[in-house]
Amino acid sequence: MTNRLQGRRVLITGASAGIGRACARTFAASGADLLLSARRFGRLEALRRSLEAEFQVHVAIERLDVRDRAGVETYVSRLAVENRLPDIVVNNAGLSRDLLPFHEGKVEGWEEMIDTNVKGLLYMSRAILPHMVSRDSGHLIHIGSTAGETVYPGGNVYNASKFAVRALNEGMNLDLAGTRIRVSSVDPGLVESEFSEVRFRGDRERAEAVYRGYTPLSPDDVAEVVRYVANAPEHVNLHRVILYPTDQRNPYVLHRTGPPVDPE
Ligand code: NDP
Ligand code: 8X3
């Protein structure tokens, strides 16, 4: 397949782990230069060193919390002034907290999810899109989720945050009609990453149980789909891609083998 990513500049939020880190590696392997951000700067430094050595691409890193609106705006303004604006943005930073019935939910965890998954994505998209519009070129790729397709027990506010991403993906596409800017959402099912450890607040045993007895998606599987979406010819907008592990048909139908697992 033609590689259209060589020499493109790709900005990825939440690049210190999981899907974001895998996307960084996949885009670097395609010859793209990278603008990577996350809160854990030490991890970004290690990633930069390894990607630059392995793929001879340029990697710039930024300590950035996407919940910090002023921080996001300042970062994007600086990229504009320095003529380093990205061609492609992967809005990946996100998290889930807890798996509790709504009436027992922890409001502070809800705020973290809304502030990161929804407002962080809004801040970055709002800061970047005017530049893309004035150049009439660019591609925003949101990492949504099958949680934005089907609600499951205890998912309540996380589901709502990913339904919001789905609505925003559609809304941005409508509002950009007549431009050459593409907006896409890549929506995975269960992916083995640090996601469940974060959701269960460091309870590794419970997190590992989520992925036991079947083959989940890997962050690399998702990154490969993101690369495919970004690499499509300019007249092709892969608006929304849903991917599940073969063992998972929807949030309720998961084929496990081995001893029974109770991730609840
Ligand atoms: P990980 O926990 O492995 O990685 C999450 C990444 O997001 C980390 O790099 C983290 O970096 C970053 N992040 C979290 N909060 C912030 C913040 N406030 N500002 C900047 N960066 C932040 O999880 P995944 O890789 O699995 O998750 C990535 C995305 O994929 C999320 O949007 C998630 O909802 C989505 N997703 C995950 C699925 C799964 O099953 N794992 C399935 C479907 C979608 P740091 O802590 O260093 O800031
Ligand atoms: C992450 C996948 O099923 O845990 O978005 O919500 S799930």
Side-chain angles (χ1 to χ4, degrees):
M1 188 196 284
T2 309
N3 178 15
R4 299 180 182 83
L5 300 170
Q6 177 79 40
R8 308 303 296 275
R9 195 177 290 117
V10 183
L11 183 156
I12 302 169
T13 64
S16 60
I19 295 168
R21 183 170 56 196
C23 286
R25 193 175 169 74
T26 302
F27 279 109
S30 298
D33 292 324
L34 300 174
L35 300 165
L36 306 181
S37 58
R39 294 166 300 176
R40 287 172 291 180
F41 194 70
R43 284 187 175 214
L44 293 179
E45 282 180 316
L47 183 60
R48 170 175 59 182
R49 277 195 297 276
S50 85
L51 295 180
E52 287 189 334
E54 192 173 352
F55 300 110
Q56 290 79 52
V57 292
H58 184 259
V59 181
I61 56 176
E62 185 77 15
R63 187 195 309 274
L64 184 69
D65 184 331
V66 295
R67 296 173 297 178
D68 173 8
R69 177 177 161 192
V72 171
E73 290 170 352
T74 303
Y75 176 46
V76 174
S77 300
R78 183 156 35 84
L79 294 177
V81 168
E82 294 169 0
N83 210 16
R84 294 194 295 132
L85 284 165
D87 304 295
I88 298 160
V89 171
V90 183
N91 272 322
N92 163 76
L95 82 169
S96 177
R97 287 294 194 195
D98 311 314
L99 193 62
L100 293 168
F102 183 83
H103 54 280
E104 294 172 12
K106 296 180 183 162
V107 174
E108 143 277 326
W110 294 354
E111 285 176 342
E112 255 185 297
M113 291 188 276
I114 300 283
D115 288 350
T116 310
N117 305 358
V118 183
K119 290 169 72 178
L121 179 145
L122 288 175
Y123 298 155
M124 181 56 76
S125 304
R126 180 64 180 84
I128 285 280
L129 272 171
H131 298 286
M132 290 186 171
V133 169
S134 72
R135 289 183 305 175
D136 198 19
S137 147
H139 196 164
L140 278 193
I141 304 176
H142 308 305
I143 304 301
S145 171
T146 54
E149 170 91 359
T150 310
V151 178
Y152 52 82
N156 44 64
V157 176
Y158 179 68
N159 286 124
S161 76
K162 291 299 183 177
F163 270 71
V165 173
R166 184 171 151 201
L168 289 166
N169 178 48
E170 286 184 26
M172 288 182 203
N173 263 298
L174 296 181
D175 292 345
L176 289 162
T179 74
R180 301 178 72 78
I181 297 151
R182 294 178 284 179
V183 186
S184 308
S185 176
V186 172
D187 297 358
L190 287 157
V191 182
E192 186 164 11
S193 66
E194 293 170 21
F195 178 86
S196 290
E197 209 179 312
V198 172
R199 167 171 258 176
F200 298 130
R201 299 176 184 273
D203 183 341
R204 283 206 179 169
E205 206 178 312
R206 192 174 177 200
E208 279 165 17
V210 173
Y211 307 109
R212 210 173 291 147
Y214 70 102
T215 308
L217 296 171
S218 69
D220 287 339
D221 294 327
V222 182
E224 192 49 43
V225 172
V226 174
R227 190 197 65 78
Y228 185 86
V229 167
N231 192 51
E234 210 190 358
H235 66 285
V236 177
N237 185 14
L238 286 152
H239 179 63
R240 184 164 173 236
V241 181
I242 300 172
L243 65 153
Y244 275 107
T246 306
D247 286 331
Q248 184 190 24
R249 301 302 159 121
N250 74 18
Y252 297 96
V253 180
L254 177 61
H255 180 71
R256 291 184 195 261
T257 53
V261 172
D262 180 10
E264 311 305 309

